[in-house]
Amino acid sequence: GQQLNQSPQSMFIQEGEDVSMNCTSSSIFNTWLWYKQEPGEGPVLLIALYKAGELTSNGRLTAQFGITRKDSFLNISASIPSDVGIYFCAGPPAGTALIFGKGTTLSVSS
Amino acid sequence: NAGVTQTPKFRVLKTGQSMTLLCAQDMNHEYMYWYRQDPGMGLRLIHYSVGEGTTAKGEVPDGYNVSRLKKQNFLLGLESAAPSQTSVYFCASTWSSGNTIYFGEGSWLTVV
């Protein structure tokens, strides 16, 4: 079936550092979504991308919809302790249900 | 503004017992989903529904059944619980595929 490969699996960084993570799919997506999940809660949408090449920001977060439509990137600038959590990429292959990457666990030390 | 509500939030079952998880959304969404989340596995789709009266299998449907008798509710049933079904279950909903989906707060299920 469809798979999303998300990397890295985990990151341990110092407060103030920038973070980059990416997601690739085996097929073309028309939508890329990035979610963040904090302990004990459900995922919350951070950024939605609907067009190849699109670059969208949400505060210190920036995400890009890859030109090939098979990948997407999420960057976090000047990380802070509250950025800790699991970040998921997601997309709907062939207009069906949303599938998720396995997540990138971010740890930030102050 | 309730959004997506899941009940129960926590449950412990014995192997072989049955139970139903209820998901309710008040946003008039057409699409509803059930995912399970296990360490290192991300969110895996169990079943989903694209409208009242319809259901479809996801990535890991075995051992689960679902029903969507009313547009606002999506039920996930375990007929004979197994320890492998110990997980956190998330319900989600959206207007249509490709739109933002909204998640419930999760249901922690332990099967002993």
Side-chain angles (χ1 to χ4, degrees):
Chain A
Q2 297 284 346
Q3 283 191 338
L4 291 182
N5 296 309
Q6 188 172 348
S7 64
Q9 185 175 3
S10 60
M11 302 182 75
F12 298 86
I13 62 171
Q14 294 275 355
E15 182 176 1
E17 289 184 13
D18 296 342
V19 172
S20 291
M21 59 191 78
N22 68 81
C23 199
T24 60
S25 71
S26 55
S27 61
I28 290 174
F29 279 15
N30 292 320
T31 301
W32 280 100
L33 305 170
W34 284 94
Y35 284 82
K36 179 187 178 185
Q37 184 181 28
E38 297 187 5
E41 299 181 5
V44 175
L45 181 69
L46 297 173
I47 294 178
L49 303 163
Y50 299 105
K51 188 176 178 181
E54 180 181 355
L55 188 70
T56 298
S57 294
N58 177 5
R60 292 178 296 105
L61 278 63
T62 301
Q64 183 165 21
F65 194 138
I67 293 176
T68 66
R69 296 168 69 185
K70 291 185 177 183
D71 58 7
S72 181
F73 307 87
L74 176 69
N75 296 314
I76 305 173
S77 62
S79 60
I80 59 177
S82 62
D83 289 334
V84 166
I86 306 176
Y87 292 79
F88 292 100
C89 61
T96 58
L98 208 62
I99 62 171
F100 287 78
K102 293 185 178 181
T104 295
T105 300
L106 179 63
S107 301
V108 181
S109 59
S110 55
Chain B
N1 190 9
V4 180
T5 304
Q6 295 180 225
T7 52
K9 191 170 180 67
F10 300 97
R11 183 74 186 270
V12 178
L13 284 178
K14 292 183 179 179
T15 298
Q17 284 185 320
S18 64
M19 77 158 294
T20 300
L21 294 174
L22 169 64
C23 178
Q25 52 93 5
D26 61 3
M27 296 173 281
N28 202 35
H29 286 168
E30 290 291 339
Y31 285 49
M32 295 187 75
Y33 310 88
W34 275 107
Y35 292 89
R36 60 176 289 173
Q37 185 175 28
D38 303 291
M41 300 296 290
L43 289 149
R44 293 184 292 170
L45 182 65
I46 304 172
H47 287 278
Y48 66 101
S49 168
V50 300
E52 181 179 320
T54 71
T55 63
K57 293 181 179 180
E59 182 184 359
V60 288
D62 294 341
Y64 304 95
N65 56 75
V66 288
S67 65
R68 183 94 182 272
L69 299 179
K70 293 183 179 181
K71 187 177 183 178
Q72 64 267 35
N73 295 336
F74 194 31
L75 278 64
L76 178 71
L78 286 72
E79 291 188 349
S80 179
S84 62
Q85 293 178 305
T86 294
S87 187
V88 183
Y89 293 85
F90 286 97
C91 176
S93 70
T94 185
W95 288 278
S96 65
S97 177
N99 282 82
T100 302
I101 69 169
Y102 296 86
F103 283 86
E105 293 183 336
S107 295
W108 274 254
L109 176 64
T110 301
V111 183
V112 298

